[in-house]
Amino acid sequence: VGIHDGPRKRLVLARGHAGIKPVYVADTADGGFAFASEVRALARSGMVSRAIDRNAVGDYLRLGSFQEPATIFESVRVFPAGAWCEIALDSGTAPRARELPVRTYWAPELFPPDGGDSGRDWQGEHAALLRDTVHDQLVSDVPVGVFLSGGLDSTVLLEQLGGEDRERVTAFTLGGEITTNDEVDIAARSAAILGVRHTAVRLGTSELAEWVGEGLDAMDQPSYDGVNTYLVSRASRMAELVVVLGGTGADELHGAYGHAARLAKFIKLVNVLGPLGKPLGAAAAEVLGWGKGEIAGERLKLLVDAVPDTWKVLLEKRRFLTPSRIASIWPDCPQGGMPVPALDLAQLAKQIGRASCRER
């Protein structure tokens, strides 16, 4: 959000604590300063340079999205979440986008849990908070839906619905050629068990190609997950659903997939093997490549090479395209390493974990 304080000749910029709504800032070609809620708004204004940030594009190919504060353009930066700044408009010079006097008003590490919390029911508190949050999001004067896949995140949302809510909510699933693992049947069974009306749309090959193209046109910046969100949102609108809840991002919070446990065991195994760990891992990757293809083998080799750095191992698990695939698309792609946040990740993870629910 931007607030122009005319009498005080000040501009206040701020972004929500979770960063759901973006704010972008940029230096203009004439030495000024601009901000907007979309990168393309700044690009189409004609005021900022449209030079591509090659390193940011490299990160997109590696991770499937642009990594804040970078954007696809060198001149445009992302204003941080949970922060604000005050800019003087009477100083005679515009601030630089990379040098804004940003102040943090919210961050998980600023709110450590209360001391003496060993007796608290973290799981119970988390469950109650989730249930109340879902209930609040159902307040609407139009029909409400829930994006339902075969995963944990959306199913958990559906389970939070009370009896009356289950009667008025529609569970929606997108299937067909969009994926090799069609989840319509399992989603329909979940909805039936919970007593929720279920609607499904299956896309054919021609429809999928058309919709993906339109989704890319609709996006501000390209994003791997953004295409999926566009497809399911458009399909739900065809089903006359205007307000739909989604559980995107909740899988990891609720322990789905078992990534954390498996990666921890993987790191421990490589470390236990000592000097033989990485050579044996490389050999295993080569064998895997023979059986399941070069990409699978390359991914395992990347995981092995990232040990013992837990953060790098996690990023390799989340990797979008492997180096060989990137090289086939863009031979001159910058080969920088995975971006690592400049904060104490171990301490932050510990605080977030304690503040949500205890490990089972």
Side-chain angles (χ1 to χ4, degrees):
V1 65
I3 302 174
H4 177 222
D5 185 349
R8 296 181 59 208
K9 296 183 178 180
R10 295 290 188 272
L11 171 67
V12 176
L13 290 180
R15 187 177 174 198
H17 69 285
I20 295 175
K21 299 294 185 181
V23 176
Y24 299 101
V25 295
D27 299 324
T28 63
D30 61 358
F33 173 80
F35 69 94
S37 59
E38 290 188 332
V39 172
R40 58 186 170 186
L42 293 169
R44 293 174 181 175
S45 70
M47 296 187 297
V48 305
S49 168
R50 295 169 64 105
I52 299 296
D53 187 331
R54 293 168 56 87
N55 291 321
V57 175
D59 286 339
Y60 165 73
L61 295 176
R62 282 184 282 269
L63 297 170
S65 63
F66 290 93
Q67 304 300 297
E68 296 186 9
T71 71
I72 193 171
F73 298 120
E74 291 180 345
S75 61
V76 182
R77 309 290 287 176
V78 183
F79 192 84
W84 70 283
C85 75
E86 187 177 60
I87 302 170
L89 300 179
D90 57 355
S91 63
T93 58
R96 298 291 85 190
R98 297 173 186 263
E99 301 174 357
L100 292 176
V102 175
R103 304 177 188 178
T104 299
Y105 69 83
W106 188 94
E109 62 267 31
L110 298 180
F111 299 90
D114 298 332
D117 53 16
S118 59
R120 292 182 65 175
D121 179 13
W122 294 103
Q123 291 187 16
E125 290 185 29
H126 174 74
L129 181 60
L130 178 62
R131 185 173 57 253
D132 292 343
T133 300
V134 172
H135 179 75
D136 290 344
Q137 295 297 317
L138 294 175
V139 177
S140 173
D141 56 2
V142 296
V144 179
V146 174
F147 289 146
L148 181 63
S149 66
L152 177 69
D153 51 3
S154 57
T155 306
V156 166
L157 291 184
L158 212 62
E159 289 178 338
Q160 308 309 309
L161 304 180
E164 294 183 358
D165 290 332
R166 293 185 182 187
E167 294 178 0
R168 70 185 186 90
V169 166
T170 299
F172 180 82
T173 307
L174 180 62
E177 299 296 330
I178 185 176
T179 176
T180 56
N181 182 25
D182 196 320
E183 299 177 316
V184 170
D185 291 341
I186 189 173
R189 291 199 299 271
S190 298
I193 291 172
L194 295 170
V196 176
R197 182 171 55 254
H198 181 255
T199 297
V201 171
R202 284 185 167 91
L203 292 183
T205 303
S206 59
E207 288 177 307
L208 179 60
E210 178 185 350
W211 287 24
V212 167
E214 294 176 357
L216 292 173
D217 288 339
M219 274 191 277
D220 188 34
Q221 295 191 96
S223 165
Y224 172 65
D225 285 331
V227 174
N228 296 332
T229 301
Y230 175 85
L231 293 175
V232 71
S233 298
R234 172 168 174 173
S236 65
R237 189 67 184 89
M238 287 178 56
E240 299 183 348
L241 292 174
V242 179
V243 177
V244 186
L245 306 187
T248 304
D251 280 318
E252 288 76 7
L253 177 62
H254 295 107
Y257 306 134
H259 290 340
R262 287 197 295 271
L263 289 179
K265 292 178 181 178
F266 173 80
I267 294 171
K268 183 177 180 180
L269 175 62
V270 175
N271 287 332
V272 165
L273 292 174
L276 296 176
K278 294 201 173 184
L280 288 175
E286 187 172 352
V287 172
L288 181 65
W290 293 338
K292 293 191 175 182
E294 294 181 1
I295 299 300
E298 186 178 9
R299 287 189 179 278
L300 178 56
K301 179 66 165 53
L302 291 167
L303 284 172
V304 172
D305 290 343
V307 175
D309 192 316
T310 304
W311 176 250
K312 289 182 179 179
V313 171
L314 176 61
L315 286 177
E316 288 299 345
K317 177 62 180 177
R318 304 289 296 180
R319 177 183 277 274
F320 182 40
L321 296 179
T322 63
S324 65
R325 292 290 299 278
I326 294 174
S328 68
I329 298 171
W330 185 14
D332 296 329
C333 176
Q335 296 300 315
M338 293 285 200
V340 178
L343 51 83
D344 189 342
L345 288 168
Q347 181 65 18
L348 177 58
K350 179 180 178 181
Q351 291 174 353
I352 293 176
R354 292 176 63 193
S356 56
C357 59
R358 293 191 172 215
E359 183 178 357
R360 296 181 180 179

